[in-house]
Amino acid sequence: MKVLECHSKGDTRFSPFFSDVSVFGQKKSIENHYHCAKVFEVYPENIFRRPQSNIISYNGFNHGIIPGDWRESKALSKAGHQQVAWKIGNIILPIRSSEGKRYELNDFGVQFYILLWYKHLMLNKWKIEYVKQFDEFRDPFKGTFPFCQAEVMKLVKEKGLPGLKEMADELWQLMGMDMPIIDYPIEQIQYGFVADAGYLSALYPFPKSYAESLQNAELGDVRIFGINCNLSRIKLFSQVDGKTDADALRKCVVKMIDVQSQSQLTPIYLHHTIFDGLNPDDKSQILSLIENHLLPVTIVK
């Protein structure tokens, strides 16, 4: 049996540490691209930061750290900082995980890792031919990651590059959209702003101190409160009897644009129910306003 050792102590040509690729205008190793797509929570009282890291903040409150390389990513994790999201290009996406698993196979970061290998192999097709001579592929450092480079090579041998791309079609399509639409429970989002017109009232009720502000709200107003140091809720006053008033939603969107202008890269997740009751023309116009002025923004189904 012929085995290809796909790691830094084996055949380094098949290690993500030694396989470079250019994406989003930057050439890095696959390992660095992958780790630099992670967004970590910040502890305001003890910010871990190296010069190349990027602190994302909103009105003076820390919302996330993007590491500068794989070493910083691992150091952040070791220091106890939890990963709360992914930043892939201009899109910030939540983590898909389940009990006992760090990432699901369809997690956006796993899909990104697969697409990094897809592009690298597209540009280094000799590797595709090379792996065909092997019976088994190993990566002893895989850990709990659901689809390591050894599994990438095994799949490429069996199904070619189309089989690899198929595993990441969802992210591939999202990256071509100005405003991604994802199927994800909004209550599981850990980072950014979640915006709704009442859907999250039971899960994230406003504090009693907001009672007067809520009572004085009018159609078109927004109210914001922090759920924790990484997550805030935006309540949109845009509906009457469960149906959206188009003019009120437009006013809400304009106010969210102002909020995000102060928050650098902090994402806004819009619950799909904010569009309930809109006619097609109004919905199209408001979606265009959102696409052109809110970035990053994602609609959550």
Side-chain angles (χ1 to χ4, degrees), residues 52-291:
Q52 67 266 42
S53 63
N54 180 16
I55 299 287
I56 300 173
S57 63
Y58 167 66
N59 282 354
F61 293 96
N62 297 300
H63 275 254
I65 291 180
I66 297 174
D69 58 23
W70 68 267
R71 291 180 179 86
E72 183 176 9
S73 173
K74 289 182 178 293
L76 284 164
S77 181
K78 187 176 180 180
H81 295 259
Q82 296 296 312
Q83 184 191 354
V84 290
W86 297 99
K87 181 182 180 296
I88 300 172
N90 288 324
I91 309 173
I92 299 183
L93 295 163
I95 299 166
R96 284 179 173 150
S97 63
S98 62
E99 189 174 350
K101 292 183 180 180
R102 185 68 186 94
Y103 308 120
E104 294 283 3
L105 186 58
N106 68 341
D107 177 72
F108 295 110
V110 177
Q111 292 187 55
F112 183 49
Y113 183 79
I114 290 169
L115 288 180
L116 289 168
W117 273 113
Y118 175 80
K119 184 172 183 181
H120 175 80
L121 293 171
M122 280 281 291
L123 298 173
N124 296 273
K125 290 187 176 178
W126 67 267
K127 292 188 178 184
I128 301 172
E129 294 302 314
Y130 186 79
V131 300
K132 292 179 181 178
Q133 64 183 290
F134 293 92
D135 305 299
E136 189 175 327
F137 305 87
R138 290 179 185 164
D139 174 19
F141 306 106
K142 173 188 174 180
T144 60
F145 192 73
F147 204 75
C148 71
Q149 62 269 20
E151 290 160 314
V152 167
M153 300 311 156
K154 182 175 185 292
L155 181 63
V156 167
K157 176 189 176 181
E158 294 173 351
K159 296 186 177 181
L161 284 179
L164 193 61
K165 180 177 172 292
E166 186 178 301
M167 292 189 66
D169 265 345
E170 180 186 15
L171 180 61
W172 181 280
Q173 293 174 27
L174 290 178
M175 289 169 66
M177 299 179 184
D178 291 324
M179 182 171 53
I181 302 173
I182 63 173
D183 187 4
Y184 189 85
I186 197 169
E187 61 271 16
Q188 293 182 23
I189 290 172
Q190 303 177 53
Y191 167 70
F193 298 98
V194 291
D196 71 295
Y199 174 82
L200 295 172
S201 295
L203 184 65
Y204 301 131
F206 279 88
K208 291 181 180 179
S209 58
Y210 280 71
E212 184 177 349
S213 176
L214 295 174
Q215 289 171 1
N216 295 332
E218 299 178 349
L219 278 175
D221 286 347
V222 302
R223 294 292 184 270
I224 305 172
F225 81 99
I227 298 165
N228 56 50
C229 68
N230 298 306
L231 186 67
S232 298
R233 180 188 174 195
I234 304 178
K235 170 70 165 66
L236 311 181
F237 289 86
S238 59
Q239 293 186 339
V240 179
D241 297 327
K243 291 187 177 181
T244 300
D245 179 284
D247 289 335
L249 184 56
R250 285 190 188 93
K251 291 178 182 177
C252 289
V253 170
V254 170
K255 290 173 182 176
M256 285 193 289
I257 292 169
D258 183 57
V259 168
Q260 198 176 53
S261 70
Q262 303 174 60
S263 66
Q264 299 179 47
L265 297 173
T266 307
I268 292 179
Y269 295 94
L270 305 174
H271 195 260
H272 68 95
T273 55
I274 69 170
F275 303 105
D276 284 357
L278 286 180
N279 66 52
D281 287 342
D282 283 333
K283 183 175 181 180
S284 176
Q285 290 174 16
I286 293 171
L287 284 171
S288 179
L289 178 65
I290 291 169
E291 288 176 357

